[in-house]
Amino acid sequence: MAKRDDPETIGRRVQQLRHERGLTQRQLAEPAYTPAYISTLEAGRVRPSDEALRHLADRLGVAFDELATGRPARLATDLRLQLTEAQRTLATGEAEQARVRYAALLAQAETHGLVDEQATALLGLGECALDTGDLTAARRHFERAEKTLDEAPLPARVPALRGRAVAHYLAGELRYAVYLLESTLDELNRGGLHDPDALLLLYAAAIGPYMDMGAHARAAQAAEFALALAPQAGDPALVARMHRQVARTLVAEGRLAEADASLVKAAEMYRQLQIRTELANCHWMRGYVYAQNGDLERAETELRAAQDMLSAQRAALYSSQVAVELADVLHRRGKSEAAAALLNDVLGDLSSERGAVHAAAAHRLLGRIAEDARDTESAEEHYVRALSLLERAGAAGDLADLCRLLGDLLRRTGRVEAALDAYRTGLGHRTAPGTTTLGPAPAQPPL
């Protein structure tokens, strides 16, 4: 039962409703109570019992909860239905329209003190902000959702914690994202809180940052746990997201056919659920798989499909990240001029605080294009900017690849000691299939 208002508030509400209905205190009181009791109650000097409130609610023609809490009858049910509609709007890619609906529903939930509905609206606002690339707003919404659910069991807070971790991951804060996910997993597992949906959500979210950091064993273990949990999970969208994440670990293990099959399965689930943004992400991941395997024509087709879907949905950050990977495929297909134009178009949407790993990948690719054009000064400038971004993010696979490129450039221009420093930095990291943002990973840098 919802928490009851204080006696003074209930008294004012009873008096207002009595006047609206043209009843005297005696008419309201009879036959079970006296006019004096009603007078004392309306003055807020007595806390009415449940029995008294039910009598008054019946005489006034309102629901018990409405009289006790001020909430209109069926408000919570109606809000939950509207929140589901807002979620469907977001799933179709209309993030801005969904944001407006979630904000209005949050205001209603706050007015009437509906905690669960407040948290659901805040989670929706956080997901809208992730889709549009407003990572600061996303973190703020997810933090508010956590705070709103502060007294709830940990599994109920997991979606907000996962959302916050994803926002930090997209901002290039890989280690902090992993810390949030791992500490929550530890707390769940140590406390015996075996909630399949909560655990699956966390393990699937950890795979991306693990891979970018070069923690391949941990990524593979997270994928193994996620696959084992999937049959117990109750949310099909969550299972589909898991398949999309697991595909990357399969690529790293050279299991490309299995990775593609996992993505096909995820895409079919998203089509059935009509979740367009995640379906676009499946096209994106399939393009990545094909690019890693050297099937550039199919990679370009998938990445263009992903970019078209995301651009139509105004998912600015995701669309820019796909554009960087598409530019890599274009460059490898001999379309370097088109690749450079695409990269220069999207670099303004990426930064150290917003898509840092892909911002570095864009500079790395522009450096390679500049080298092909024998513009070594411009190439070095792009490599150095990429290095700064990757060191801050801790993206090991990309960092190893970049150090090899920078070392080779420095060696060719006669700066052997600087080249050796770059190679040594690269040797501290591992590069392998599936661990770099762009293309098949090269061999380890020589020393």
Side-chain angles (χ1 to χ4, degrees):
M1 184 180 293
K3 186 177 179 181
R4 184 186 300 182
D5 285 334
D6 62 85
E8 189 174 342
T9 302
I10 292 175
R12 286 198 301 269
R13 188 175 298 130
V14 168
Q15 185 179 56
Q16 180 181 347
L17 289 168
R18 180 174 64 79
H19 286 161
E20 287 174 0
R21 284 149 179 75
L23 297 174
T24 65
Q25 290 181 338
R26 181 178 298 279
Q27 289 171 323
L28 181 59
E30 292 178 343
Y33 300 93
T34 66
Y37 175 74
I38 300 300
S39 177
T40 304
L41 186 150
E42 289 183 349
R45 294 197 297 269
V46 64
R47 179 178 292 277
S49 64
D50 285 356
E51 184 182 0
L53 281 177
R54 286 194 174 88
H55 166 82
L56 296 171
D58 183 60
R59 298 287 287 170
L60 293 166
V62 297
F64 171 86
D65 280 346
E66 184 173 354
L67 188 60
T69 67
R71 296 173 190 165
R74 291 184 51 82
L75 174 68
T77 302
D78 290 344
L79 273 179
R80 284 192 288 272
L81 288 172
Q82 291 180 66
L83 285 165
T84 301
E85 286 301 315
Q87 185 178 20
R88 289 198 187 102
T89 301
L90 177 59
T92 61
E94 298 292 338
E96 180 57 27
Q97 185 179 340
R99 184 195 67 76
V100 172
R101 297 187 71 174
Y102 276 125
L105 294 170
L106 174 62
Q108 287 188 59
E110 287 177 334
T111 298
H112 296 287
L114 294 167
V115 173
D116 289 345
E117 288 71 22
Q118 286 180 56
T120 302
L122 286 165
L123 287 172
L125 286 168
E127 293 294 339
C128 291
L130 286 181
D131 270 18
T132 58
D134 190 346
L135 302 181
T136 301
R139 285 195 296 269
R140 185 173 66 250
H141 292 312
F142 288 129
E143 286 167 0
R144 283 187 63 194
E146 279 184 73
K147 190 174 181 181
T148 300
L149 295 171
D150 192 44
E151 297 182 5
L154 180 58
R157 303 198 304 273
V158 162
L161 284 158
R162 173 259 171 198
R164 190 152 61 93
V166 170
H168 284 288
Y169 171 47
L170 291 173
E173 299 164 4
L174 276 58
R175 292 187 183 279
Y176 188 63
V178 166
Y179 162 75
L180 285 174
L181 295 167
E182 287 187 339
S183 59
T184 307
L185 280 165
D186 284 345
E187 191 175 346
L188 280 171
N189 290 325
R190 279 190 283 104
L193 299 169
H194 191 76
D195 184 297
D197 281 11
L199 291 169
L200 182 57
L201 193 62
L202 294 168
Y203 281 123
I207 291 171
Y210 278 150
M211 292 299 292
D212 284 350
M213 290 171 61
H216 314 127
R218 288 197 183 192
Q221 185 181 54
E224 182 182 339
F225 288 154
L227 286 166
L229 286 162
Q232 306 169 49
D235 183 356
L238 179 54
V239 175
R241 181 186 290 162
M242 177 274 299
H243 281 296
R244 182 165 60 81
Q245 298 292 344
V246 166
R248 191 170 175 192
T249 67
L250 296 173
V251 173
E253 295 168 5
R255 297 156 63 185
L256 296 175
E258 291 175 67
D260 195 37
S262 190
L263 290 168
V264 169
K265 188 181 297 184
E268 182 55 35
M269 294 176 77
Y270 285 133
R271 284 191 191 94
Q272 292 175 6
L273 296 165
Q274 297 183 328
I275 304 178
R276 287 181 57 80
T277 300
E278 292 289 4
L279 181 58
N281 287 336
C282 283
H283 284 293
W284 176 3
M285 190 65 196
R286 290 190 83 185
Y288 175 83
V289 171
Y290 293 142
Q292 289 280 322
N293 199 32
D295 189 346
L296 301 182
E297 184 175 352
R298 291 178 76 183
E300 181 177 345
T301 299
E302 292 290 340
L303 291 170
R304 286 195 184 279
Q307 192 184 32
D308 288 346
M309 292 176 72
L310 292 168
S311 297
Q313 296 159 28
R314 299 178 184 176
L317 176 56
Y318 294 142
S319 179
S320 296
Q321 290 176 318
V322 172
V324 173
E325 297 189 27
L326 175 59
D328 174 60
V329 171
L330 293 174
H331 171 63
R332 290 163 64 192
R333 296 195 72 187
K335 306 173 185 178
S336 296
E337 190 173 329
L342 187 56
L343 291 169
N344 286 316
D345 280 346
V346 301
L347 258 179
D349 293 326
L350 301 167
S351 67
S352 60
E353 290 81 29
R354 192 173 184 271
V357 173
H358 279 79
H363 282 295
R364 181 165 98 244
L365 183 51
L366 283 169
R368 288 165 56 193
I369 293 171
E371 274 203 86
D372 291 346
R374 302 188 184 281
D375 185 353
T376 55
E377 185 177 342
S378 179
E380 183 177 349
E381 181 182 337
H382 282 298
Y383 289 155
V384 169
R385 291 180 71 177
L387 186 65
S388 174
L389 288 163
L390 291 174
E391 285 181 330
R392 178 181 179 276
D398 284 339
L399 198 53
D401 180 24
L402 179 65
C403 287
R404 179 191 66 84
L405 291 170
L406 180 58
D408 289 350
L409 175 64
L410 293 169
R411 181 167 51 83
R412 282 195 299 272
T413 55
R415 288 168 286 174
V416 177
E417 285 301 321
L420 287 171
D421 285 341
Y423 289 143
R424 290 189 188 101
T425 300
L427 283 171
H429 305 279
R430 180 187 169 198
T431 182
T435 62
T436 55
T437 308
L438 306 178
Q444 286 277 20
L447 184 60

